[in-house]
Amino acid sequence: MKFIKTFILFILIISCSDKKTENNTSEFDKVLGKENIETLDFLVSDFENDFLKRQYPNLDSENAYRQFLTELRDEKTENWKSISEKARNKFKSSDLRLEMYEFPDSVWIIENSSMDKIESDSLEYINHPVPYIKSRYKYTNPDRTTEYTFARGNSLELTPNSNFDSIINREMNTPNFNYIGKYLRALESIKDKGEFHKEFYETKKNAGFLFPESTARVMLNYEIDLNDKLNRKIIVLELAY
């Protein structure tokens, strides 16, 4: 009788745990949005059935994820296969990409004649007209209104003789982390799922981009459940794209 009661209690604990996991996943999906989740589900499926199976043909899915994280943590990625071109193109053309990263909607070069330099010997102020990059970012708020922010780029690499067209093109395609996008809000919605998810969200909120090797190390240290669909979604977005 005691054994039966213990067994029933064990089943109830497992059931509650599974329910909590489902709720977290549902909240994450809800915040990210249907279209973005459809894209993400495709990316996860492609990662598992294409990349992982080609990379680790003798491992089941859970151990393939673990091996992937281990090799990334140890920086042993020189013999990795590539993500499929179909998946890369799908992500590149998706709204999901723009919920994770921001790209300038316009970039221009400005002659900065107000940059002053102090000569340490004479303490004389000398004007140095060094060009610099200015980028404009466009955001659409939840109420569908639009706002813009501006950012100044690095001027140290620019000279009056620089190839400005090449620099502008590169800047237009250089991602920054989107701090107001749905991806970060989705991570916030599941921060109470566990200690890893809380730390991960706080770190993303403060730092934006994370080193993949460090992220893999933290995931392994926390021994996150690699059969959890939500964890797999995070792994694919953070470490494959």
Side-chain angles (χ1 to χ4, degrees), residues 3 17-18 26 32 36 62 64 70 76 99 120 125 129 131 184 195 202 216-217 221 238:
F3 172 78
S17 177
D18 289 344
S26 297
L32 207 53
N36 292 322
E62 178 184 2
T70 301
K76 296 179 179 179
E99 296 296 348
S120 58
Y125 287 83
L184 187 61
E195 287 300 314
E202 293 295 337
R217 180 179 298 107
N221 288 344
E238 286 293 322

Side-chain angles (χ1 to χ4, degrees), residues 111-126:
E111 295 291 332
N112 183 15
S113 60
S114 63
M115 289 184 63
D116 294 330
K117 178 181 178 182
I118 301 178
E119 298 292 343
S120 58
D121 292 334
S122 63
L123 296 180
E124 179 183 0
Y125 287 83
I126 303 176

Side-chain angles (χ1 to χ4, degrees), residues 180-197:
I180 63 173
K182 291 180 181 178
Y183 176 57
L184 187 61
R185 299 207 304 272
L187 291 178
E188 181 180 18
S189 74
I190 52 109
K191 66 180 180 180
D192 294 329
K193 175 178 169 65
E195 287 300 314
F196 163 75
H197 301 88

Side-chain angles (χ1 to χ4, degrees), residues 45-229:
S45 177
D46 181 87
F47 183 76
E48 294 177 0
N49 297 308
D50 183 79
F51 174 82
L52 289 182
K53 285 188 176 180
R54 285 187 292 117
Q55 190 66 35
Y56 314 111
N58 299 319
L59 297 179
D60 60 27
S61 186
E62 178 184 2
N63 286 307
Y65 269 101
R66 183 171 290 105
Q67 187 63 23
F68 169 77
L69 292 175
T70 301
E71 290 180 359
L72 181 55
R73 177 197 64 188
D74 298 339
E75 300 184 41
K76 296 179 179 179
T77 60
E78 61 275 4
N79 296 318
W80 273 7
K81 311 293 184 183
S82 60
I83 301 296
S84 75
E85 184 177 354
K86 181 178 180 180
R88 289 286 185 197
N89 289 337
K90 186 172 184 65
F91 178 69
K92 187 176 181 179
S93 62
S94 70
D95 289 339
L96 176 60
R97 178 172 177 254
L98 300 179
E99 296 296 348
M100 295 180 65
Y101 307 114
E102 61 175 11
F103 298 85
D105 77 312
S106 58
V107 175
W108 60 99
I109 306 294
I110 294 179
E111 295 291 332
N112 183 15
S113 60
S114 63
M115 289 184 63
D116 294 330
K117 178 181 178 182
I118 301 178
E119 298 292 343
S120 58
D121 292 334
S122 63
L123 296 180
E124 179 183 0
Y125 287 83
I126 303 176
N127 282 332
H128 288 265
V130 179
Y132 70 92
I133 302 171
K134 186 144 186 172
S135 303
R136 184 178 77 160
Y137 297 88
K138 180 172 66 175
Y139 299 100
T140 301
N141 297 312
D143 62 1
R144 310 311 298 171
T145 59
T146 301
E147 61 182 277
Y148 297 89
T149 63
F150 296 85
R152 175 172 169 161
N154 190 347
S155 62
L156 298 179
E157 64 179 311
L158 298 179
T159 69
N161 295 321
S162 294
N163 185 336
F164 291 158
D165 288 340
S166 175
I167 292 170
I168 289 174
N169 182 65
R170 184 187 64 195
E171 189 73 12
M172 287 287 291
N173 291 282
T174 299
N176 290 305
F177 184 68
N178 187 349
Y179 286 94
I180 63 173
K182 291 180 181 178
Y183 176 57
L184 187 61
R185 299 207 304 272
L187 291 178
E188 181 180 18
S189 74
I190 52 109
K191 66 180 180 180
D192 294 329
K193 175 178 169 65
E195 287 300 314
F196 163 75
H197 301 88
K198 181 178 180 180
E199 179 179 334
F200 183 70
Y201 166 69
E202 293 295 337
T203 305
K204 289 291 290 185
K205 182 178 69 172
N206 293 319
F209 285 114
L210 305 179
F211 290 109
E213 300 83 0
S214 300
T215 302
R217 180 179 298 107
V218 171
M219 288 177 170
L220 290 168
N221 288 344
Y222 271 103
E223 298 181 345
I224 64 171
D225 182 0
L226 296 176
N227 285 313
D228 187 319
K229 292 181 180 179

